[in-house]
Amino acid sequence: MNSIYQIARLTFVQAAHQTRSWVIPVLLCIATVLSARGGIASWSDFYRTSYVPLLLLFLPLFTCSGIVAAEVESGRVLVVHSLGISRRTFIIGRAVGAAGFCLGVATCIQFFVGMYLVFAHHVPTLRGALGALIGLAFCFAYSACLLAFFSTVLRSWGNTGVVLALTYLVYPFVDHLCREMPDVLWLTRLFLIGPYELVLRGSESLPFPVVDLAVVVGACALLTTAAILLYSRTEIGKIAGHQAS
């Protein structure tokens, strides 16, 4: 457990030092100001604003993409494993650290939104804020596991971004089909959009569907297991040597 914590802390620090990790937070701050000018009166209003979901869904992309491939290609991970850190611990720690960074950014944004709601509308915000934050924790955990899996397959930050963008671009089409056939495609819809609807339910102080929570947790476990299996078959030294030459 201590090894996972150390890898997660290292990942958090690395994310904080990446310039691209701060692109979405800056845009989220601008979105918060625009939302305030638009007259949001509740947490639900904020999280349903058209550009906020998109920014929150892409926040992990700028933070988590390449979190495995970048270390492998540079050869830095050889040092980590030489210190006795297992490959399984490395994958789990990277996902936890990246998700933690995203959640930290979202918490800061929530603080500013909450202050606005209290002073401008005198809205009690604690319950909705906690519900949305719990939903975001599931959302970012799912995204981090998904991107950790992609990072073991796609050796490029750009390729990962393209795959994730295509995934979200087809979401409106799947969403329309789900409204026509809700009993058939709800699972596909949940996998494509991730658990962002948990954020919406939490912001409205509604209970989380047990089935949806189980699916998200199961997806995180499945993606992490797949990433570990793929990473265990990666020839790190060969890749690092090829990059050096």
Side-chain angles (χ1 to χ4, degrees):
M1 185 62 69
N2 183 60
S3 297
I4 292 177
Y5 169 75
Q6 294 296 334
I7 295 297
R9 185 171 64 86
L10 176 63
T11 304
F12 189 99
V13 172
Q14 288 179 329
H17 284 87
Q18 287 183 142
T19 303
R20 70 169 185 247
S21 296
W22 295 102
V23 172
I24 298 297
V26 170
L27 293 177
L28 276 170
C29 289
I30 296 173
T32 302
V33 174
L34 293 175
S35 299
R37 288 176 60 87
I40 58 169
S42 67
W43 285 109
S44 179
D45 290 346
F46 176 71
Y47 283 108
R48 289 184 183 278
T49 304
S50 58
Y51 36 79
V52 170
L54 185 63
L55 292 174
L56 286 172
L57 289 170
F58 274 86
L59 173 60
L61 172 63
F62 283 72
T63 304
C64 309
S65 294
I67 58 174
V68 177
E71 299 296 289
V72 172
E73 291 176 356
S74 66
R76 290 191 298 266
V77 75
L78 291 172
V79 178
V80 174
H81 293 319
S82 70
L83 297 175
I85 303 297
S86 68
R87 296 193 175 202
R88 179 181 63 182
T89 298
F90 178 73
I91 292 291
I92 296 173
R94 296 295 276 178
V96 170
F101 178 82
C102 294
L103 190 60
V105 170
T107 302
C108 293
I109 298 298
Q110 275 202 323
F111 174 77
F112 293 119
V113 176
M115 294 294 289
Y116 168 77
L117 292 176
V118 168
F119 287 107
H121 297 282
H122 306 288
V123 176
T125 64
L126 184 58
R127 187 173 179 181
L130 288 176
L133 202 60
I134 293 171
L136 284 169
F138 280 100
C139 188
F140 292 143
Y142 173 87
S143 297
C145 293
L146 177 65
L147 289 166
F149 169 72
F150 281 162
S151 189
T152 62
V153 180
L154 305 171
R155 303 294 177 186
S156 165
W157 184 89
N159 289 341
T160 306
V162 169
V163 170
L164 191 66
L166 289 175
T167 300
Y168 290 139
L169 284 174
V170 300
Y171 166 71
F173 174 70
V174 175
D175 181 61
H176 174 72
L177 290 180
C178 286
R179 296 180 191 279
E180 300 296 328
M181 298 179 289
D183 297 331
V184 178
L185 293 174
W186 70 270
L187 184 61
T188 305
R189 183 174 187 269
L190 182 60
F191 270 107
L192 282 177
I193 195 62
Y196 189 75
E197 289 196 0
L198 298 178
V199 180
L200 298 178
R201 293 184 65 88
S203 67
E204 297 171 354
S205 301
L206 297 174
F208 299 121
V210 176
V211 175
D212 285 9
L213 289 176
V215 169
V216 172
V217 173
C220 289
L222 181 63
L223 289 167
T224 303
T225 301
I228 291 171
L229 291 175
L230 287 171
Y231 183 57
S232 66
R233 306 172 77 86
T234 301
E235 299 181 50
I236 298 173
K238 181 178 180 180
I239 294 175
H242 176 71
Q243 290 292 323
S245 63

